[in-house]
Amino acid sequence: MSLSPALYWLIYEYLNVRCLIPLECERWQGIPDNHTRIPYRNKSANDCPDTPRYKAIGDSMAVPVI
């Protein structure tokens, strides 16, 4: 049994993965917005890369659970 092209498109559309941005992760964990945006390796807080922010959020405990 073959699938119609429209059904292939529907399956393809719903199987895409969207990554959460650090701000969304902070909100899910109950952390104040931009709390993990700190100076990093001689860069200002505005130039802080996302990777250390994700790590800090992942190493924390969810505030609403505590």
Side-chain angles (χ1 to χ4, degrees):
M1 181 168 138
S2 65
L3 299 173
S4 69
L7 189 55
Y8 274 122
W9 177 254
L10 182 67
I11 292 171
Y12 174 76
E13 185 70 23
Y14 286 106
L15 291 180
N16 287 337
V17 176
R18 185 181 75 83
C19 296
L20 297 174
I21 61 173
L23 182 63
E24 292 172 318
C25 293
E26 289 172 341
R27 289 179 180 173
W28 274 102
Q29 290 285 76
I31 300 170
D33 290 354
N34 295 319
H35 185 71
T36 58
R37 180 183 269 177
I38 58 171
Y40 180 76
R41 294 192 180 182
N42 299 326
K43 294 182 180 178
S44 68
N46 292 333
D47 295 331
C48 179
D50 291 342
T51 304
R53 294 181 72 188
Y54 285 122
K55 184 175 180 185
I57 295 166
D59 289 343
S60 64
M61 295 183 72
V63 176
V65 176
I66 297 177

